[in-house]
Amino acid sequence: MRKKIVAGNWKMNLDISEGIELATTINSHFLTSPLEGKEVILCTPFIHLNAVSAIVKTAGVSVGAQNCSNHKSGAYTGEISASMIHSTGAKNVIIGHSERRIYYAENDSMLAEKTAEALRNNLRVIFCCGEVLPERESNAHFDVVKRQLENGLFMLPEDDFRKCVIAYEPVWAIGTGKTASPAQAQEMHHFIRGLVEKHYGTKVAADTTILYGGSCKASNAAELFANPDVDGGLIGGASLLKDEFCNIVKAL
Ligand code: 13P
């Protein structure tokens, strides 16, 4: 079913006590202001997952990781498996964030393995796609997003695909303060839904949740979320600020 979701990606920020404090205040906020069908996901650093999962008990709020290994288990020093993530109580995982693709050279085939491994371990996948600035400037952005989705996600059978959320994050808008315009976001989200329709049919396309990410904040969230194909946001910097984050959720 298509959902309305605001996911916070804390990235590599907050020590454990700061993480616990933020999760506690967000959890209490949604206890007193119920989400009424919307969902909130807190994607924390790995070491916070267990503690934050124990705190987050409000209906509609869940926890996610920001990455997982493509391997099941074994001699992969420093890696974290999908089953370990699941064992913390986390229910979601971000796969294919541009910072993983760019800084850690994660390619489409590795991301396809990560996605499959996450799904095997009952995690919902938030699969990221998005172009860098030169690709947009050369009008290659649709081709780039199509390739990322075809190689990383559309190999899934329908049942598995339905357990995934897509996040469109134009790389030029991440952490830059430069947001995609509502029209640019809608144009790409509509294109993505069309791709889903081609691969899985009209019903699955209508049910697919597509989030926007990239300098989304309380002041621009409402105009982005007003678009018919934008089902919520994946929020970086603003997810570290309790009031800002809760106001983004309110705008959905
Ligand atoms: P900002 O909201 O900080 O631009 O980050 C977006 C993002 O990368 C979320 O995954």
Side-chain angles (χ1 to χ4, degrees):
M1 203 184 77
R2 191 152 157 193
K3 305 226 162 76
K4 287 187 168 299
I5 299 176
V6 174
N9 176 6
W10 291 3
K11 306 194 180 183
M12 195 175 74
N13 292 295
L14 309 180
D15 67 19
I16 189 71
S17 59
E18 291 164 338
I20 287 173
E21 191 184 331
L22 180 59
T24 305
T25 48
I26 290 174
N27 184 66
S28 341
H29 175 89
F30 292 116
L31 208 54
T32 47
S33 316
L35 281 160
E36 289 164 349
K38 299 180 212 172
E39 270 194 59
V40 165
I41 304 173
L42 304 181
C43 297
T44 78
F46 288 130
I47 63 150
H48 299 49
L49 290 174
N50 200 29
V52 171
S53 295
I55 291 164
V56 163
K57 295 291 176 206
T58 304
V61 188
S62 66
V63 177
Q66 301 168 14
N67 177 33
C68 73
S69 174
N70 51 330
H71 299 290
K72 190 167 177 276
S73 64
Y76 300 101
T77 301
E79 285 292 274
I80 304 287
S81 71
S83 73
M84 290 173 184
I85 293 168
H86 187 261
S87 75
T88 66
K91 303 266 187 282
N92 312 272
V93 61
I94 298 172
I95 303 278
H97 192 282
S98 60
E99 287 150 17
R100 302 294 316 171
R101 292 179 189 262
I102 295 167
Y103 304 145
Y104 301 97
E106 296 191 359
N107 59 27
D108 289 341
S109 66
M110 183 192 276
L111 296 174
E113 289 174 13
K114 289 186 179 211
T115 299
E117 193 51 33
L119 292 168
R120 259 195 296 280
N121 286 282
N122 297 315
L123 294 171
R124 175 169 54 183
V125 170
I126 303 171
F127 189 89
C128 299
C129 58
E131 79 286 356
V132 296
L133 190 58
E135 291 166 339
R136 177 160 283 263
E137 286 174 343
S138 60
N139 215 26
H141 47 301
F142 294 118
D143 288 343
V144 169
V145 166
K146 182 170 183 273
R147 191 209 70 224
Q148 290 170 337
L149 293 173
E150 285 182 344
N151 295 346
L153 205 54
F154 291 163
M155 71 294 169
L156 294 172
E158 182 182 321
D159 278 5
D160 278 344
F161 177 78
R162 281 182 170 278
K163 295 172 196 152
C164 300
V165 165
I166 295 173
Y168 169 59
E169 298 205 306
V171 181
W172 47 271
I174 295 178
T176 58
K178 202 168 161 189
T179 319
S181 69
Q184 285 172 320
Q186 169 57 24
E187 184 185 37
M188 183 58 87
H189 282 227
H190 182 71
F191 172 75
I192 292 171
R193 204 176 296 287
L195 292 176
V196 175
E197 182 168 4
K198 223 165 67 197
H199 284 268
Y200 296 102
T202 316
K203 175 79 175 76
V204 177
D207 284 350
T208 300
T209 305
I210 309 175
L211 309 181
Y212 169 79
S215 299
C216 182
K217 39 190 185 279
S219 58
N220 60 22
E223 57 180 19
L224 287 161
F225 298 162
N227 288 292
D229 288 302
V230 179
D231 305 309
L234 180 54
I235 318 299
S239 73
L240 301 170
L241 307 167
K242 183 249 172 190
D243 290 338
E244 186 72 12
F245 184 67
C246 292
N247 283 332
I248 294 172
V249 178
K250 202 164 153 194
L252 182 59

